Amino acid sequence: MRGGADLAKPIRLVAGLGNPGRDYARTRHNAGFWFADALAAKLGASFANETKFSGELARAGSVRLVKPSTYMNLSGRSVASLAQFFGIAPDEVLVVHDELDLKPGEAKMKFGGGVAGHNGLKDVRAQLATPDFWRLRLGIAHPRDSALTEQQVVDYVLKPPGAEEEAAIRGAIARAIDVWPAIADGDMERAMMSLHTKEKKDS
């Protein structure tokens, strides 16, 4: 729950986190970019480079989508500059990111909280000067919970997932896209219930 925040407040900015460039395009750390691309396609929007906002920007009605063109640890620069310029409050922002603590195929919503060592989230929190924004967490699993137990996290997130993992992650993205109308309207309770129900049915 949102601790007294307006439950009906629509989302005005969606920030998919990742690293720019072809070398990173298929890596686990770019799951947020995958979501942003899928949502833009769903909404019929196209990304264009906006150096003023340090990212690629798309617009669909009253919602703006951004893929920061900085590297992951500077993601907040793009998010905060857009929020400030367009007068978007932190609780009207949805940040989409890879999540080590969820399995591939899982997607969960949350509001506020910590960053669990995620450098992109850490910078967004610092630049917005608050943790009180929405997050859509896309599971990629932790190397300790897979056959890659000896792999360092930094290496793991910067490698492409296996075919089955990628299919599971993209399936979770598709389910999140299905509940986008509720997310966009700010009906997060309905979005979360629907998303988590879909996840159980597909498991």
Side-chain angles (χ1 to χ4, degrees):
M1 300 300 290
R2 294 177 60 178
D6 179 7
L7 284 168
K9 209 166 186 181
I11 292 296
R12 296 176 58 201
L13 176 62
V14 177
L17 302 191
N19 285 306
R22 186 177 300 176
D23 291 345
Y24 297 102
R26 291 193 58 246
T27 63
R28 295 178 176 93
H29 222 16
N30 272 39
F33 275 16
W34 301 356
F35 176 88
D37 287 335
L39 181 58
K42 170 79 171 180
L43 300 178
S46 299
F47 283 100
N49 188 44
E50 294 282 355
T51 55
K52 177 179 181 179
F53 299 116
S54 303
E56 293 183 37
L57 190 63
R59 183 175 180 181
S62 61
V63 179
R64 288 176 170 82
L65 291 71
V66 66
K67 296 188 294 183
S69 57
T70 57
Y71 285 95
M72 180 67 82
N73 63 345
L74 296 176
S75 298
R77 179 188 302 171
S78 179
V79 177
S81 63
L82 279 161
Q84 182 176 12
F85 187 84
F86 292 108
I88 299 171
D91 61 353
E92 297 172 317
V93 175
L94 174 68
V95 176
V96 188
H97 63 93
D98 56 303
E99 176 59 67
L100 289 163
D101 292 332
L102 298 177
K103 296 176 182 177
E106 295 182 338
K108 296 190 183 298
M109 301 277 302
K110 69 175 289 189
F111 181 75
V115 299
H118 193 290
N119 287 331
L121 280 180
K122 183 178 180 181
D123 196 57
V124 172
R125 181 180 65 180
Q127 295 294 330
L128 290 178
T130 179
D132 292 338
F133 52 89
W134 283 98
R135 302 101 183 273
L136 173 60
R137 305 154 66 213
L138 301 172
I140 61 168
H142 196 287
R144 67 170 176 248
D145 299 322
S146 70
L148 304 171
T149 53
E150 300 302 316
Q151 192 168 24
Q152 295 294 313
V153 168
V154 66
D155 295 324
Y156 174 80
V157 299
L158 294 178
K159 293 287 193 301
E164 288 188 11
E165 286 179 75
E166 181 171 343
I169 295 167
R170 293 193 183 276
I173 289 171
R175 292 194 302 274
I177 295 293
D178 285 344
V179 303
W180 167 251
I183 296 172
D185 288 343
D187 192 347
M188 299 306 188
E189 186 172 352
R190 180 163 64 93
M192 287 188 281
M193 287 182 62
S194 181
L195 182 60
H196 301 167
T197 300
K198 284 174 178 288
E199 181 181 295
K200 290 177 182 177
K201 286 181 179 178
D202 292 348
S203 61

